[in-house]
Amino acid sequence: MPSYSTVIHWFRRDLRLTDNTALHQAAQDAAQVIPVYILSDWQKRHAWTGSIRQQFLCGCLESLDKNLGALGSRLILRCGQADQELEKLIKETKAEAVYLNRDYDPYGRDMEKKVEEVCHRFGIPCLTYKDRVLHEPDEVLTGSGGPYRVYTPYSKNWLSLEKTAPQGKPTTLGKAPAKDLTSHPLPDLGHWKLEPTQASLPAPGERAARQRMKDFIESRTLNAYAQKRNIPAGVTTSRLGQDLRFGLISIRELYTRCSAATSAQSPSDDQKSVATYLKELAWREFYLAILWHYPEVFDEEFAPEFRGMPWPGSDEQFQVWKQGQTGFPIVDAGIRELLATGFMHNRVRMIVSMFLTKDLHCHWRLGESFFMQHLVDGENASNNGGWQWSAGTGADAAPYFRIQNPWIQTKTYDPEGTYIRQWVPELRGVSPERFTAPPKDGRSLAPGYPLPMVDHHEERDRTLAIFGKHRETK
Ligand SMILES: Cc1cc2nc3c(=O)[nH]c(=O)nc-3n(C[C@H](O)[C@H](O)[C@H](O)COP(=O)(O)OP(=O)(O)OC[C@H]3O[C@@H](n4cnc5c(N)ncnc54)[C@H](O)[C@@H]3O)c2cc1C
């Protein structure tokens, strides 16, 4: 017998039915589950919201509504502040409990507290679950019980912990929400007053994401991951960032299926690839844990010695970087890939971000914001972590004086120029060795393509001087 007649499941970053912890529990506990999503009423007030990710979200909500329809239910969409909207819904539906999966960023946490207060006022439980991660920030701690500040020991501990197995998907959510329960129409970009995007995005929704997960595991991409993951040309990584970001797939299912993809009898390269991939998944939870324990990283440098440091890069330089017109082919290719698809390969994210901060001396927060506006997998914690890592101010052992040379990075990771030629069409006829050093003759690589906007060696020295001087004053 169910414990409740009607409860609410509040969908947040868990836009799926399969292995959704809170939804699964709600379906077991109640005769009727009201599935709810609350659209933010953001109207260009936050610089991190952009057309690409919102377009993807619109598609995911449409798909979620269809999937709920197949269970005889429907998605109730509301718009506004989550606690206020849930309060109205509790009254309208006479819900006896609210179910949700926990979020770990400061905004998500704040809202959870407010929703808990609302439930408390109504005298009903607010039931929250671990779902978005394999291990919550407080489950992976140092021997003395504190948070890790560096990835490697964190990941060792993370990998050693027992992982929860995935569950299936509910077969029913009870009767559909009453017809007179109002729901906002499925949104389009107009809801946020955003312009349509020309970017070609991955297909949204749970079914498409599950197909991507299957393709990744069953194709050679997973087995070749250790060897190829740093090569930006072609599909060498899972491309599941947006699916984890929006919760279209469950991290438990991904982990379990990847782990099962090899056995002790598999070729050692395959085993190594799976192990490498699982370790990458730990980066995501590491940065979520950093944000949880040190929410100040949104406002300042993680490493205290670099707080208040000057970033003398100019706005003109930042604009050139944003347009992919720096004259550094690998950097321009990365920015253009991002603008065209909402994705940029991880190796190139590192090159591009280090170039902005170490060659152009622009503040990492400018790049952080630009990435968040355009990345379909834009994730506050990982993006902040990636940018601070590249800037040399972040939670990592990488010292600020390790500065990647974009020309050498090109030689190592795109020696044939395949990636560059794909994204910078004006360079298609140029031989690849010319992408691996500044032009010796001082002439542009192709008509209309700019000369390198700076000299990497000079800017590297300047970065070392800025960081060194700032450390002396601390
Ligand atoms: C400057 C910068 C900004 C970044 N911004 C984001 C971001 O907004 N959102 C985001 O998900 N990742 C971000 N990353 C990390 C990484 O680039 C992407 O996770 C990865 O490129 C996504 O592609 P994939 O799914 O094919 O990766 P895969 O290599 O297949 O990895 C699988 C999954 O593991 C996780 N992962 C892998 N590497 C990292 C990492 N270094 N940090 C955190 N998680 C990781 C992601 O969830 C990823 O989807 C950033 C990295 C840098 C250097």
Side-chain angles (χ1 to χ4, degrees):
M1 275 294 284
S3 325
Y4 304 114
S5 50
T6 299
V7 300
I8 289 171
H9 172 77
W10 176 30
F11 281 103
R12 306 165 83 198
R13 288 167 171 255
D14 55 340
L15 305 181
R16 68 177 186 285
L17 303 186
T18 313
D19 190 31
N20 181 326
T21 315
L23 182 69
H24 194 268
Q25 199 55 51
Q28 284 191 342
D29 294 351
Q32 183 192 32
V33 180
I34 310 280
V36 174
Y37 185 85
I38 299 165
L39 294 162
S40 68
D41 56 1
W42 176 87
Q43 301 285 338
K44 301 207 166 167
R45 282 191 299 270
H46 197 294
W48 285 3
T49 307
S51 302
I52 287 180
R53 213 165 41 261
Q54 297 311 94
Q55 174 72 55
F56 188 75
L57 169 65
C58 291
C60 293
L61 292 174
E62 196 181 328
S63 148
L64 181 62
D65 185 44
K66 270 199 199 118
N67 296 341
L68 287 166
L71 288 188
S73 186
R74 72 182 165 109
L75 184 62
I76 299 297
L77 270 166
R78 292 287 168 100
C79 171
Q81 202 173 293
D83 54 333
Q84 293 168 7
E85 294 307 310
L86 285 168
E87 177 163 1
K88 288 182 209 158
L89 274 162
I90 293 169
K91 279 190 208 147
E92 291 166 37
T93 62
K94 302 197 174 42
E96 294 153 292
V98 173
Y99 285 71
L100 56 101
N101 290 312
R102 288 193 280 273
D103 197 354
Y104 305 99
D105 79 18
Y107 315 116
R109 284 162 78 173
D110 268 11
M111 196 43 79
E112 257 162 56
K113 277 198 203 114
K114 289 186 181 151
V115 171
E116 274 166 10
E117 281 162 24
V118 168
C119 289
H120 186 72
R121 263 191 275 124
F122 279 87
I124 64 172
C126 178
L127 299 157
T128 75
Y129 295 85
K130 170 169 86 166
D131 180 75
R132 193 174 156 202
V133 292
L134 284 161
H135 304 296
E136 292 191 305
D138 284 335
E139 292 174 340
V140 192
L141 298 171
T142 63
S144 56
Y148 287 96
R149 294 178 67 89
V150 175
Y151 167 76
T152 303
Y154 170 91
S155 68
K156 280 195 185 131
N157 190 342
W158 185 92
L159 283 163
S160 74
L161 298 173
E162 201 180 325
K163 307 287 181 280
T164 311
Q167 319 177 65
K169 85 174 167 197
T171 49
T172 175
L173 297 176
K175 62 181 188 316
K179 284 211 175 65
D180 60 357
L181 188 63
T182 53
S183 180
H184 196 283
L186 285 164
D188 59 21
L189 288 180
H191 174 80
W192 298 280
K193 297 197 169 53
L194 286 164
E195 296 298 320
T197 169
Q198 300 305 319
S200 85
L201 302 179
E206 179 174 354
R207 182 192 289 236
R210 293 185 66 74
Q211 187 63 45
R212 280 189 284 274
M213 171 164 67
K214 184 171 182 284
D215 291 347
F216 167 63
I217 294 169
E218 291 177 4
S219 72
R220 284 290 307 157
T221 316
L222 174 59
N223 286 343
Y225 187 78
Q227 190 197 347
K228 294 209 175 143
R229 73 197 168 104
N230 276 307
I231 307 293
V235 176
T236 55
T237 61
S238 67
R239 306 283 180 110
L240 294 174
Q242 67 287 331
D243 305 327
L244 291 167
R245 157 68 180 77
F246 286 96
L248 302 175
I249 54 173
S250 116
I251 186 68
R252 290 168 299 284
E253 187 175 356
L254 178 62
Y255 188 96
T256 305
R257 288 178 67 170
C258 289
S259 305
T262 55
S263 68
Q265 282 73 48
S266 305
S268 64
D269 279 356
D270 294 9
Q271 290 183 44
K272 190 173 163 207
S273 282
V274 169
T276 307
Y277 185 73
L278 297 180
K279 238 176 125 181
E280 286 303 295
L281 297 177
W283 271 109
R284 173 174 165 271
E285 298 194 9
F286 173 65
Y287 284 137
L288 279 168
I290 290 287
L291 186 56
W292 172 267
H293 293 293
Y294 306 99
E296 65 272 18
V297 292
F298 273 164
D299 300 313
E300 53 190 4
E301 284 70 16
F302 175 78
E305 70 261 39
F306 297 125
R307 290 182 189 156
M309 204 174 67
W311 295 91
S314 70
D315 185 51
E316 288 77 38
Q317 286 177 310
F318 179 48
Q319 297 305 326
V320 171
W321 175 88
K322 275 181 9 181
Q323 288 156 19
Q325 293 287 350
T326 66
F328 283 72
I330 191 79
V331 174
D332 297 338
I335 294 287
R336 296 189 201 187
E337 180 185 25
L338 175 65
L339 297 177
T341 66
F343 176 80
M344 191 194 295
H345 185 278
N346 179 57
R347 170 58 48 187
V348 189
R349 290 187 205 200
M350 291 196 267
I351 297 171
V352 159
S353 52
M354 219 175 255
F355 183 81
L356 184 71
T357 52
K358 305 277 181 56
D359 287 74
L360 302 185
H361 319 287
C362 290
H363 202 300
W364 56 268
R365 289 175 74 178
L366 293 172
E368 178 192 31
S369 186
F370 180 75
F371 267 32
M372 282 308 283
Q373 284 158 14
H374 295 283
L375 278 173
V376 68
D377 66 22
E379 166 85 76
N380 301 346
S382 303
N383 192 49
N384 179 277
W387 274 94
Q388 292 228 34
W389 184 92
S390 298
T393 62
D396 201 84
Y400 69 89
F401 47 80
R402 199 190 299 155
I403 300 174
Q404 290 170 351
N405 179 326
W407 304 113
I408 294 175
Q409 291 282 309
T410 307
K411 198 172 187 170
T412 314
Y413 299 112
D414 192 31
E416 305 298 325
T418 317
Y419 177 75
I420 289 173
R421 290 211 195 99
Q422 181 180 359
W423 296 110
V424 189
E426 60 270 41
L427 297 181
R428 277 186 191 152
V430 180
S431 69
E433 65 275 11
R434 299 196 65 204
F435 303 150
T436 61
K440 288 197 185 70
D441 53 8
R443 289 174 49 199
S444 162
L445 290 177
Y449 188 70
L451 283 166
M453 65 189 290
V454 291
D455 177 300
H456 172 70
H457 292 291
E458 281 174 16
E459 302 310 328
R460 180 182 179 279
D461 291 347
R462 192 168 168 213
T463 292
L464 293 177
I466 295 170
F467 272 81
K469 193 165 166 214
H470 186 75
R471 289 182 94 205
E472 277 168 22
T473 63
K474 284 273 158 171

